[in-house]
Amino acid sequence: MEILSLKAFVLRRIRYGESSLITSLFSEERGKLSVIAKGARPAKSKCGMAAVLEPLNLIEAEVYFKPSREIQIVSKADIIADFAAIKSNLDRMEEGAKVFRTLDALTHTDEPNSNIWRVLESALREISTAPEENLTTAVLAFKARILSALGYE
């Protein structure tokens, strides 16, 4: 087992059991991976991980990685960027969610791709700052660029 420090985007999350979260992350180094944050959900959670593991956050996570496991364990995570401009506007949030759904559908677990990482970063910056009338265009451009990064021309 190795301990990894990963910079990753939170794609989605689901509740698991009484107090845990299973989260899908996308990192440049490892690609898409699933992690579990045990004890992250209680109101009195010491680590405050539930807020950190929100979709659309860019985080720095400490992950206990064991290749034989499908779901890795995250022990600590901090927010690098929360993309507040996207989360504070319903239209931008909808377009950001489209980007993450597309990424989730087109990528496989444990297949790192630095080109996809750059395309994703660029798309989120564009959605954060683009005039509202250009948001759909930003998402369509992301879809074209991610397909190109995956080898479709």
Side-chain angles (χ1 to χ4, degrees):
M1 179 182 340
E2 64 181 303
I3 300 172
L4 305 174
S5 180
L6 296 176
K7 183 177 172 183
F9 287 100
V10 180
L11 302 179
R12 60 187 165 87
R13 73 179 193 176
I14 58 170
R15 293 177 179 187
Y16 182 78
E18 290 287 319
S19 62
S20 299
L21 291 170
I22 294 179
T23 307
S24 180
L25 304 177
F26 186 81
S27 74
E28 186 173 12
E29 301 89 358
R30 291 283 177 176
K32 187 167 62 172
L33 70 153
S34 294
V35 298
I36 186 166
K38 296 179 180 180
R41 284 191 17 235
K44 295 179 182 177
S45 174
K46 294 176 263 178
C47 58
M49 275 234 256
V52 174
L53 296 175
E54 283 285 330
L56 292 172
N57 282 347
L58 175 60
I59 64 170
E60 182 75 36
E62 187 173 283
V63 176
Y64 291 94
F65 187 84
K66 189 174 183 181
S68 61
R69 282 194 301 233
E70 261 186 61
I71 299 176
Q72 307 305 323
I73 299 170
V74 63
S75 63
K76 183 169 58 170
D78 295 303
I79 296 174
I80 297 171
D82 67 357
F83 294 95
I86 295 175
K87 291 178 182 178
S88 65
N89 178 294
L90 190 56
D91 292 328
R92 291 181 195 281
M93 198 164 160
E94 183 179 347
E95 300 305 323
K98 286 178 187 176
V99 164
F100 277 16
R101 279 194 303 270
T102 300
L103 177 73
D104 196 27
L106 293 177
T107 57
H108 300 286
T109 303
D110 220 15
E111 289 185 5
N113 186 323
S114 57
N115 291 331
I116 292 175
W117 176 266
R118 285 190 292 278
V119 168
L120 178 59
E121 276 186 316
S122 172
L124 292 176
R125 275 195 305 275
E126 196 170 337
I127 291 169
S128 293
T129 59
E132 284 196 36
E133 59 271 9
N134 294 347
L135 291 176
T136 302
T137 305
V139 173
L140 290 173
F142 164 77
K143 289 178 179 182
R145 289 184 292 214
I146 194 171
L147 288 172
S148 177
L150 288 168
Y152 298 98
E153 293 296 327

